[in-house]
Amino acid sequence: MSFERLAPEQHDTLDDVPEPAENPRLIGHGEIATTLASAYKAGKLPHALMLCGPAGIGKATLAFHLAHHVLKHPDARLAPETLAVPDPASGLFRQVAMGAHPSVLHLTRPMNDRTKAFKSVVTVDEIRKVGQFLSMTSHDGGYRVVIVDPADDMNTNAANALLKNLEEPPARTVFILVVHAPGSLLPTIRSRCQVLRLAPLEEHDLMTVLATIGQASPDDAAQRTALAERAGGSARAAILLTQYGGLEIAAALEKLVSAGRMDIASAHRLAETVAGRDQAIPFATFNRHALELLSDAASSSAVAGNLARAKSLSDTWQDAQRAISETETYNLDKKQHALTMIDRLNSAMRM
């Protein structure tokens, strides 16, 4: 199903899938949405919110729905007790979606003007836009909304710059930090935010998201359940698994990792598949699943009481995360990265 793309392209944009800023439907998270609407109506909306949970479950969509709500109802006392549903035909919706509303600042990974690729971090220059944004008077005396998405991607300088803004927040301003892993942020940032934890989507809600954006889901009930489990309640993960070869990539990686001896030919085939030209999404899927395998194995070892193995796997996860970041930052050879990652996982799992 095609639709009119309004939002600027992001580092993780998927074809024919609405960006959070242009998504009129929020599926799931009803209790938290109502809590936020009630807090706004009562004049008790925190100046900084941290929406935490796995990637792809709707955190950023909720952030933009809250922004839409406070802009549509500048007098909080007259606002409804549930979040307003954005009207795609309205000027407000289109302005917010296009990144053109003067009261909404959306900060994410910027484009590298030299390479024409998105940077791997939210830079300090992006966060510095907050100062200029807040120095301007709100056009109608209403709220101003700063959305950092995802805040996990801020580098150290960016995080410190944001902290200064959070320490002395202006009136009628709300910062919304979209966060996949709260532990990755400075404790001083976390302490200045109200943390709201969003749960992974239930199977029914996950399939509803897929249907809403015209993405096919399995006809068989058992296959739908299996997809929901493998996707971890993430709509984005489900789309990547079903539409971008993610299931095949995951199965191939798991087979290689579980083998007693490295299958060199199969490793090269998988590396070539995910590292080819215009294969950014399969490459990201490969990396994400590699990290998931390490994380799951570390957790299982810890639960079983094998703390030494858990520590080793955790260290390997850190090394793998660093390698992914360096490959993106310095545009290193992706096939060699994939082969090294497969070897790293194979060695780690045999311990």
Side-chain angles (χ1 to χ4, degrees):
M1 178 183 68
S2 61
F3 68 101
E4 180 190 6
R5 174 76 72 192
L6 296 174
E9 183 179 355
Q10 309 294 326
H11 71 278
D12 57 355
T13 295
L14 300 178
D15 292 340
D16 294 329
V17 177
E19 287 294 317
E22 60 189 353
N23 187 354
R25 293 195 63 183
L26 175 67
I27 297 173
H29 318 304
E31 185 175 337
I32 289 179
T34 299
T35 297
L36 291 171
S38 298
Y40 177 66
K41 185 176 180 66
K44 296 180 180 179
L45 188 66
H47 78 275
L49 296 165
M50 187 179 290
L51 305 182
C52 302
I57 63 172
K59 302 187 300 296
T61 298
L62 174 57
F64 278 101
H65 278 231
L66 177 58
H68 180 275
H69 180 79
V70 302
L71 295 174
K72 184 174 182 179
H73 302 285
D75 187 340
R77 296 167 298 179
L78 303 179
E81 294 186 359
T82 56
L83 286 189
V85 177
D87 176 7
S90 69
L92 172 59
F93 177 88
R94 295 181 71 85
Q95 267 194 307
V96 172
M98 295 170 69
H101 197 285
S103 294
V104 180
L105 179 63
H106 180 213
L107 302 175
T108 185
R109 294 190 197 178
M111 178 77 77
N112 184 319
D113 293 332
R114 183 176 58 82
T115 64
K116 302 304 178 185
F118 287 96
K119 295 185 178 181
S120 60
V121 296
V122 177
T123 62
V124 67
D125 287 339
E126 288 299 294
I127 301 300
R128 284 173 179 155
K129 294 177 182 178
V130 175
Q132 181 180 0
F133 173 71
L134 296 179
S135 69
M136 297 182 290
T137 304
S138 175
H139 77 292
D140 61 357
Y143 258 81
R144 288 171 296 186
V145 183
V146 179
I147 299 172
V148 185
D149 169 31
D152 312 62
D153 286 351
M154 290 187 296
N155 61 21
T156 302
N157 289 338
N160 286 326
L162 179 66
L163 179 59
K164 292 179 181 178
N165 294 120
L166 295 177
E167 286 172 341
E168 298 179 4
R172 297 181 70 75
T173 299
V174 58
F175 289 83
I176 309 176
L177 278 56
V178 176
V179 181
H180 307 322
S184 66
L185 294 185
L186 294 173
T188 43
I189 288 180
R190 295 199 304 269
S191 68
R192 285 168 171 77
C193 300
Q194 178 168 330
V195 177
L196 298 173
R197 300 187 183 279
L198 279 65
L201 296 173
E202 299 286 346
E203 180 182 331
H204 172 75
D205 286 338
L206 190 61
M207 299 307 150
T208 299
V209 172
L210 295 181
T212 298
I213 60 177
Q215 299 282 350
S217 57
D219 294 328
D220 180 73
Q223 291 180 337
R224 288 196 298 272
T225 298
L227 173 61
E229 290 178 352
R230 184 177 280 276
S234 163
R236 179 179 179 83
I239 294 168
L240 294 176
L241 287 168
T242 57
Q243 304 299 318
Y244 290 87
L247 287 171
E248 292 78 9
I249 291 169
L253 182 57
E254 288 169 11
K255 184 176 180 180
L256 282 166
V257 169
S258 62
R261 179 182 297 176
M262 173 70 80
D263 183 339
I264 302 298
S266 295
H268 275 265
R269 281 196 298 272
L270 177 57
E272 288 170 357
T273 296
V274 302
R277 187 180 295 275
D278 299 323
Q279 293 297 302
I281 291 175
F283 185 67
T285 301
F286 168 86
N287 283 322
R288 187 184 68 250
H289 193 57
L291 293 176
E292 288 172 349
L293 289 174
L294 288 168
S295 178
D296 290 346
S299 296
S300 297
S301 296
V303 169
N306 191 342
L307 300 185
R309 184 170 190 267
K311 173 66 165 58
S312 176
L313 287 163
S314 179
D315 290 343
T316 303
W317 186 98
Q318 295 285 355
D319 292 340
Q321 178 67 68
R322 191 177 304 112
I324 293 168
S325 178
E326 290 176 352
T327 300
E328 293 179 346
T329 301
Y330 303 114
N331 197 26
L332 303 180
D333 187 302
K334 289 184 170 60
K335 181 181 177 182
Q336 186 57 52
H337 164 86
L339 288 170
T340 302
M341 184 70 81
I342 293 168
D343 184 60
R344 178 181 279 128
L345 263 69
N346 200 282
S347 299
M349 295 302 186
R350 286 204 305 267
M351 288 180 55

